Amino acid sequence: MIQANNLTETKKSRLLGEEYTLIRHKSGLDIYVVKKDFSATYAVFGTRYGSLDNCFRIKGEERPVEVPEGIAHFLEHKMFEMEDGRDAFELYAETGAEANAYTSIDRTAYLFSCTSDFETNLRTLLRMVTSPFFTEQTVKKEQGIIGEEIRMCEDRPWDALHYGLMRAVYKAHPVRIPITGTVESIAEITPELLYNCYNTFYNLRNMALCICGNVDVESVAAIADEMLEIAPSCEIERILPEESPEVDHSREIIEMQVSKPMFSIGVKDCESAEGEPCHYEAVRNLLCESLFGMSGDLYSELYESGAVGGYGAAYFTERDIGLLNIYGDCDDPEAVFEKFREYAERVAQTGVSEEQFIRARRVLYAQTVRSFESSSDIAEAFFSAFAAGQELFDYAEEIYRVTKEEVDMLARRLFRPERYAMCVLKPVE
Amino acid sequence: MTVNRITAAPGAQLSVIPTDKFKSNYFALNFYLPLEKQSAGELSLLSRVMLRGTEPHPSIGELNRYTDMLYNLTFSLAVSAIGSVQTFSFRMDFLGDRFVPQAEKADILDSALDFAQEFFCRPLVRDGAFLSEYVESERKLLIDRIEGEINNKDRYAMRRGRMHLLGEHPAAISPNGDIETVSCVTGAQLYERFRSILVNAHAEALYVGEFSPDTEGKLLDVLRKILPENRVDAPMPETDSFKPASDGVGEIVEEAKTRQGRMVLGYSLPYTGEESPVANAFIEIFSASPVSRLFANVREKLNLCYYCSASMDFSLGIMTVMSGISEKNVEKARAEISRQLNGMASGDVSDTELDRARSAIVSSIKTLKDTPSSLGEWYLRRIVQGAPSDIDALMDGVGRVSAEQVAEFASRARLCMAYFLRGTDE
C-alpha cells in the first residue's frame, strides 16, 4: 500500500547517549537524521545494490537478467554527469562541499560533507542520484578511466590476496569477482544496460538517505517532499548461486612482486542471520575478537615466536557472505596456517576463556561507542545498518546480550577443516 | 577553540584543548630532532622494541590484554618526518569515562595517564640495554618492512621520486631508517638514544578531551615524571627549505613488475609559513578536488589516467605531482600538467575557481574541529612548521587571497625532476 504522508519516529540509545529520527518518507525512501553539533554535516544517499547483483529477476518478468561484471561500480562513476552537461562535482564545489561515492559488494553510495549551504548540497545530491543520464560517448570515455583504475588495483597485493581467497572459498559466488569488474567485462557495458540496472535498483524503496550534523528534521523532510516522487513498488529477486559449507579449494597460490610471502586464511560460514542480524553479527565479532584480536592468544603466540610481525582479523557478514578472515605477511604461510588450525580446533573443544570473552566485549563495545565520533562515521554507520537490515542502536546492546556459550557453540560449528582455505602471495623469483 | 599552552619542563610544552564534544580523549607526546641517517634507524627500531613490553607488562600479549581491558585503549609509538625534522610520537586514544557502562565503573583517564608513565618510565631494560631478544626480532621485522616498501607501488614510486628530487637534502632520508643502520644497532645504543631524546629533544605534548579542574595537574605531573630533571631547553629544530642543485630537469626511469606505470614530477616551490592561505588556494585550484585543473583536464578531458594529483610539502617548499599512468600517455600528461601550471602562473585564475577554493579550504579548516585526533595532529604540525594555528585568523586569511597572489605563487614552481616507474607487465 502506498503511504500518503511522511511518518516520523525518534529512537534513543541510553548506552550510546545518542538519538536519531527516522522519516519514512511518502516517496518510499527511509531517511535517518542525527542532529549533532559538528562543524561538518554529512549526508549519504545509497542503494542496496553492489557488485554481487549481476543476475536478477524483476517481478512479472519470466527470465532473469544477467549483466556484465563491474556494472554497479561503472554506474556509480556515471551518476555524476547530469543531463545539462554539468558535473555534480561542480555544483558541490560552489559551496565548498566535498563529495564522493563508493561501491562495495552489496551497496552503492553517494555522499557529501559540508560546513555551509547544507540545503543546496542536499538538493544536488537528491537530483544527481535521481536523474540518470548516460550516452554512448560518455560510457566509452569512462571505460578508459575505469580500465586504468582496474590496472591500478591489479598492482595492489592486498587486493590480489583478497580475491584469491574469495576464489578459494567460494565455488561460483560473484564475490569472487573484483568490484570494478575486468577490462573485458566493462567493455560490454552500454547505456541501455546502465538504465536497466538503474531502474531496477535505484528505486527509493531500496534506498536510504542518512544525514548527521547540524540539521533539522523538518527542513530535510521539506526538501525530500520537494525533490522526490513516489516510487513504484520494488520487488527484486537477486539470483545467487547456492553455496555449500565447504570451500572450493583449500589453497590458492599467486605469484607477485612482493618482498615476502603474504597469507589470507578464510573460514567459511554459511549460516544465515534468521531475523536477528544484530545478534548474529555480535556473536561473530565477539568470536573473532576473543580468539584472533590483538590480545588473543594466537596473536601473542605467533608474534612472540617470530612467525608473523602482526596480522589483521575480521569477520565479514555482508548479505549471504559469512567469512572469518585472518591475513598478514610471514616467511612460512603453511606454518602459520598450521598454528591457526591447531588453535581454532583446540578452542572448539575447550571454548573461549571467560577472561578473553569479557575483554573482547569491552573492545567491541568501546569501538562501537567511538564509531559515533564524527558526522561521517555516524551517517555511514546508519547506512551500513540499513544495507544489512539492522537497527543500529541494537548492536551496542547486543554486544552485552551475547553469552560465552553462544560464542563457544559457533566455534564448534565453524572450526572444521572443510571450511578452511588459504591464499598465498609468493614473491616472484 | 581554546588552547591552553603550558611549559611542562625545559624545552617541553603541553597544549590542552578541553572539550566534552567527543566520546574519546586523545593524548600525544612528540619528540623532535634533526633527521639524520643514524638516529632515523635507531628511533625506528626503538619505536618497535618499546611496543614489545614494559617492566609491568613484559610481552606484547600482556600489553595488549592490559590496554584492551581499558576499553580498547589504543596506543602507538611511531617515527615520521616533517621536512628534515624527525618526529618520535607516542599517541593514545581512549574512551571517555562517562561512556563506561554503569555496571563496570572505571577511571580510564587516570589509567591511561598511568599507562603513559609506565611506558616511558618503566621500559623493559636489562643492564642498560633493551632486551636483546626483542631487539633481534624487531630488527628482522623492521628490515622486512623496509624491504616491503616495494609492495605498495604508489608509495614506493613517491618515495623514490622524492629521494631523487631531494638529492643530498636531509629530508631525503627515510624516517623508517635504512637496512645498513638498522642491521647493526645494539640494545645498549637504543637505550642510550632513548635516554638522549628524553633529555635533549624538544617535546610537545597535547591533550584533547574531557576536562575537570584537576586534569591539567595530572597531565603535568605525568609529563614531569617522564621528562628527566636535567632536560636541556631544546628549541624546535628547523627545516632548511629545498634548493635545486642545478637548473636542469633530472629524468629518471626505473622498472617494476606492475600492470601500470607510476609517474612522479618534482617541483621546487618556495614558500614561507605566513603564505599558507595562498599556498592552500593554489593547491586547491591546481589539484585538490574533482573540479581542479588536473582532475578536470588530465583525467576527465583527456582520459589519460584514473588519478593525477599534486601535493605540497610546506616544510620544504616542494610540490610533487603523481599519477598512475600507462607509458604511452606519460608525455601527453606531462604536457597537460605544464600547460595547466603555466596557465595559472600567467594569471589564468578565474573568480569561480578562487571562490570554490576559498569555500573548500574554509570548510576543511572548520572540519578539523570535529575529531580529537585531526584537531590535535593539525595543531602539532602547525607548531613544527612555525605556521599560525589560530583557526579563525586562518579562515580570515583565506578570504583575502587574490587571484594575483595565486598566479604569482604558481609562477614560482619549477620542474626539477621527472621520475617514472615503468610497469613491465603493462
Side-chain angles (χ1 to χ4, degrees):
Chain A
M1 197 177 86
I2 300 295
Q3 123 200 0
N5 296 305
N6 299 335
L7 304 174
T8 56
E9 55 187 291
T10 299
K11 288 201 175 174
K12 289 186 184 182
S13 166
R14 275 180 53 200
L15 196 59
L16 299 168
E18 297 286 349
E19 80 171 51
Y20 74 89
T21 301
L22 169 61
I23 307 170
R24 295 201 183 276
H25 193 257
K26 59 189 174 190
S27 62
L29 182 68
D30 282 349
I31 306 173
Y32 297 81
V33 181
V34 188
K35 190 168 171 56
K36 300 282 286 184
D37 181 26
F38 288 127
S39 306
T41 299
Y42 186 98
V44 54
F45 185 19
T47 169
R48 291 183 185 118
Y49 171 48
S51 64
L52 300 184
D53 300 307
N54 290 330
C55 187
F56 52 91
R57 187 184 287 116
I58 304 161
K59 199 184 176 197
E61 303 276 327
E62 202 173 305
R63 292 177 55 184
V65 181
E66 268 193 74
V67 291
E69 290 155 358
I71 195 165
H73 170 258
F74 200 100
L75 185 51
E76 171 223 310
H77 270 238
K78 295 318 303 164
M79 290 304 295
F80 285 87
E81 281 168 16
M82 300 168 100
E83 200 164 356
D84 60 7
R86 292 192 77 179
D87 188 313
F89 282 126
E90 288 179 29
L91 301 178
Y92 288 120
E94 282 168 10
T95 69
E98 211 174 294
N100 213 334
Y102 62 85
T103 307
S104 71
I105 59 170
D106 66 345
R107 71 196 87 146
T108 310
Y110 303 85
L111 56 100
F112 71 81
S113 173
C114 67
T115 56
S116 67
D117 304 282
F118 166 74
E119 295 186 4
T120 307
N121 290 312
L122 181 59
R123 284 190 175 87
T124 301
L125 178 66
L126 296 184
R127 189 177 144 210
M128 70 167 266
V129 179
T130 55
S131 320
F133 177 66
F134 316 121
T135 66
E136 291 283 354
Q137 192 189 3
T138 60
V139 167
K140 196 164 185 328
K141 183 195 98 172
E142 210 64 32
Q143 281 163 342
I145 292 173
I146 296 179
E148 287 297 329
E149 186 182 1
I150 290 169
R151 275 185 276 275
M152 177 184 79
C153 294
E154 285 171 349
D155 283 341
R156 291 179 176 164
W158 290 108
D159 281 9
L161 194 64
H162 172 77
Y163 288 113
L165 181 68
M166 294 301 118
R167 289 192 298 273
V169 171
Y170 296 96
K171 295 177 196 306
H173 199 284
V175 73
R176 294 161 55 102
I177 309 296
I179 289 166
T180 51
T182 62
V183 172
E184 294 74 28
S185 71
I186 64 166
E188 297 168 23
I189 292 173
T190 62
E192 291 70 34
L193 285 170
L194 290 175
Y195 279 117
N196 196 354
C197 290
Y198 179 88
N199 291 330
T200 305
F201 292 102
Y202 283 61
N203 180 309
L204 295 175
R205 296 177 197 282
N206 188 42
M207 301 176 76
L209 170 64
C210 307
I211 300 167
C212 177
N214 205 354
V215 289
D216 63 79
V217 172
E218 292 73 26
S219 67
V220 170
I223 292 171
D225 289 349
E226 170 199 323
M227 307 278 301
L228 302 177
E229 291 174 9
I230 292 173
S233 66
C234 172
E235 286 178 51
I236 309 157
E237 187 190 342
R238 300 165 202 261
I239 302 170
L240 288 165
E242 281 282 315
E243 280 284 337
S244 59
E246 308 85 42
V247 298
D248 184 65
H249 50 283
S250 63
R251 292 291 180 275
E252 174 89 5
I253 312 290
I254 301 168
E255 286 202 346
M256 204 163 176
Q257 189 185 33
V258 288
S259 56
K260 66 188 293 189
M262 296 165 82
F263 69 91
S264 183
I265 297 169
V267 183
K268 191 174 184 179
D269 176 7
C270 281
E271 290 175 22
S272 72
E274 284 173 10
E276 291 190 325
C278 286
H279 194 80
Y280 170 91
E281 190 171 334
V283 174
R284 277 148 182 83
N285 286 339
L286 279 164
L287 173 86
C288 183
E289 185 59 43
S290 302
L291 298 186
F292 303 107
M294 282 176 67
S295 55
D297 292 344
L298 185 68
Y299 191 93
S300 308
E301 187 186 338
L302 290 175
Y303 199 116
E304 299 286 350
S305 68
V308 299
Y311 66 68
Y315 211 114
F316 298 104
T317 53
E318 280 107 354
R319 278 281 176 90
D320 60 338
I321 303 295
L323 184 77
L324 173 64
N325 183 212
I326 297 144
Y327 50 90
D329 55 16
C330 66
D331 292 323
D332 186 350
E334 287 300 334
V336 170
F337 180 84
E338 199 46 37
K339 290 278 183 197
F340 151 79
R341 194 192 57 74
E342 284 170 15
Y343 175 74
E345 285 164 19
R346 189 168 66 240
V347 173
Q349 298 289 318
T350 61
V352 299
S353 72
E354 191 67 30
E355 188 202 337
Q356 277 177 316
F357 179 71
I358 290 169
R359 206 168 45 234
R361 196 164 64 187
R362 286 189 175 193
V363 170
L364 287 190
Y365 167 74
Q367 286 173 349
T368 306
V369 173
R370 282 149 77 179
S371 70
F372 285 81
E373 196 79 286
S374 72
S375 54
S376 55
D377 287 350
I378 294 169
E380 287 291 352
F382 274 95
F383 181 57
S384 296
F386 166 81
Q390 292 179 358
E391 166 52 55
L392 184 60
F393 284 175
D394 289 352
Y395 180 71
E397 314 267 350
E398 285 302 328
I399 292 168
Y400 274 86
R401 280 194 196 117
V402 171
T403 63
K404 188 179 103 60
E405 288 65 37
E406 287 177 285
V407 172
D408 290 342
M409 270 171 58
L410 178 63
R412 280 198 293 276
R413 292 200 301 271
L414 208 57
F415 295 132
R416 295 165 184 272
E418 66 273 17
R419 290 172 179 259
Y420 307 151
M422 178 166 72
C423 176
V424 174
L425 238 57
K426 270 174 55 180
V428 283
E429 295 299 326
Chain B
M1 182 184 76
T2 310
V3 183
N4 303 329
R5 208 156 149 73
I6 310 141
T7 300
Q13 301 289 316
L14 165 67
S15 303
V16 177
I17 303 178
T19 173
D20 57 4
K21 195 168 138 181
F22 306 116
K23 292 191 161 66
S24 58
N25 304 314
Y26 181 76
F27 175 82
L29 176 56
N30 288 3
F31 295 91
Y32 302 90
L33 57 162
L35 181 57
E36 289 165 2
K37 193 175 160 209
Q38 183 67 28
S39 59
E42 290 180 9
L43 288 175
S44 185
L45 184 55
L46 175 63
S47 67
R48 300 184 66 100
V49 170
M50 285 183 70
L51 289 170
R52 289 297 294 269
T54 61
E55 199 63 58
H57 300 99
S59 70
I60 204 159
E62 284 172 85
L63 214 46
N64 289 339
R65 285 193 284 277
Y66 176 65
T67 53
D68 273 356
M69 277 305 274
L70 291 174
Y71 294 86
N72 193 221
L73 178 149
T74 55
F75 66 104
S76 64
L77 185 64
V79 288
S80 62
I82 301 173
S84 55
V85 177
Q86 165 105 55
T87 64
F88 185 70
S89 314
F90 174 76
R91 298 187 184 97
M92 283 191 306
D93 195 319
F94 47 95
L95 195 66
D97 283 340
R98 64 191 192 282
F99 292 101
V100 174
Q102 280 183 345
E104 299 179 3
K105 269 285 160 233
D107 293 323
I108 305 183
L109 174 58
D110 287 353
S111 302
L113 293 179
D114 287 348
F115 177 67
Q117 186 182 327
E118 169 188 321
F119 192 79
F120 282 97
C121 299
R122 302 192 66 193
L124 200 50
V125 171
R126 297 283 178 272
D127 304 323
F130 279 98
L131 224 54
S132 63
E133 181 194 339
Y134 288 172
V135 172
E136 290 318 313
S137 72
E138 291 303 326
R139 188 196 315 281
K140 177 182 176 304
L141 291 170
L142 178 55
I143 290 171
D144 283 350
R145 190 180 152 195
I146 295 169
E147 288 174 343
E149 285 175 355
I150 186 74
N151 297 355
N152 182 324
K153 299 300 181 292
D154 290 343
R155 270 215 297 264
Y156 176 77
M158 181 55 93
R159 197 179 68 76
R160 297 289 299 166
R162 268 178 67 100
M163 220 179 74
H164 288 297
L165 172 67
L166 292 167
E168 296 300 310
H169 193 285
I173 296 167
S174 167
N176 296 327
D178 65 293
I179 292 174
E180 188 191 348
T181 309
V182 171
S183 299
C184 46
V185 177
T186 65
Q189 280 174 294
L190 289 184
Y191 187 58
E192 202 177 311
R193 176 65 66 180
F194 172 64
R195 298 301 309 166
S196 166
I197 58 166
L198 291 180
V199 173
N200 298 309
H202 180 81
E204 289 284 344
L206 176 86
Y207 173 76
V208 185
E210 57 192 9
F211 199 77
S212 62
D214 60 352
T215 307
E216 189 174 291
K218 286 179 185 172
L219 288 161
L220 284 170
D221 186 47
V222 166
L223 288 171
R224 286 169 184 157
K225 282 177 178 146
I226 292 172
L227 302 168
E229 284 179 5
N230 60 340
R231 255 184 78 78
V232 172
D233 189 3
M236 179 71 76
E238 287 185 5
T239 284
D240 288 332
S241 57
F242 169 71
K243 291 176 192 64
S246 73
D247 291 339
V249 178
E251 299 274 351
I252 300 106
V253 177
E254 294 178 345
E255 289 190 346
K257 198 170 163 49
T258 63
R259 296 270 288 141
Q260 188 180 60
R262 303 294 195 283
M263 176 183 76
V264 181
L265 304 177
Y267 297 79
S268 70
L269 186 42
Y271 159 89
T272 60
E274 296 75 42
E275 292 176 308
S276 69
V278 180
N280 284 328
F282 161 74
I283 207 78
E284 189 69 38
I285 295 169
F286 186 52
S287 153
S289 77
V291 292
S292 66
R293 296 290 183 100
L294 295 188
F295 191 94
N297 293 287
V298 182
R299 170 177 148 148
E300 289 295 307
K301 194 167 150 197
L302 300 179
N303 308 324
L304 297 174
C305 54
Y306 175 64
Y307 68 94
C308 178
S309 63
S311 59
M312 266 201 76
D313 188 323
F314 291 116
S315 308
L316 294 168
I318 62 168
M319 175 175 73
T320 46
V321 175
M322 175 151 190
S323 179
I325 194 162
S326 298
E327 190 170 14
K328 65 177 191 300
N329 289 332
V330 166
E331 286 311 314
K332 282 184 229 163
R334 278 181 64 170
E336 185 61 21
I337 292 162
S338 294
R339 206 171 73 79
Q340 294 302 329
L341 190 55
N342 293 339
M344 287 179 71
S346 64
D348 172 22
V349 177
S350 71
D351 289 345
T352 306
E353 284 180 308
L354 198 55
D355 284 346
R356 286 172 176 174
R358 286 194 193 111
S359 303
I361 296 164
V362 166
S363 190
S364 64
I365 295 171
K366 283 182 181 169
T367 306
L368 286 171
K369 295 181 188 171
D370 282 354
T371 57
S373 58
S374 66
L375 182 59
E377 291 301 319
W378 178 83
Y379 183 76
L380 285 177
R381 188 168 271 268
R382 300 291 288 187
I383 292 173
V384 183
Q385 290 169 342
S389 55
D390 179 329
I391 282 186
D392 295 329
L394 256 177
M395 289 194 285
D396 285 347
V398 171
R400 287 195 298 273
V401 173
S402 69
E404 291 72 30
Q405 284 176 302
V406 173
E408 191 280 324
F409 191 80
S411 73
R412 296 183 206 168
R414 191 172 80 64
L415 181 64
C416 302
M417 186 279 317
Y419 173 85
F420 186 61
L421 184 66
R422 177 187 289 141
T424 56
D425 283 0
E426 250 190 38

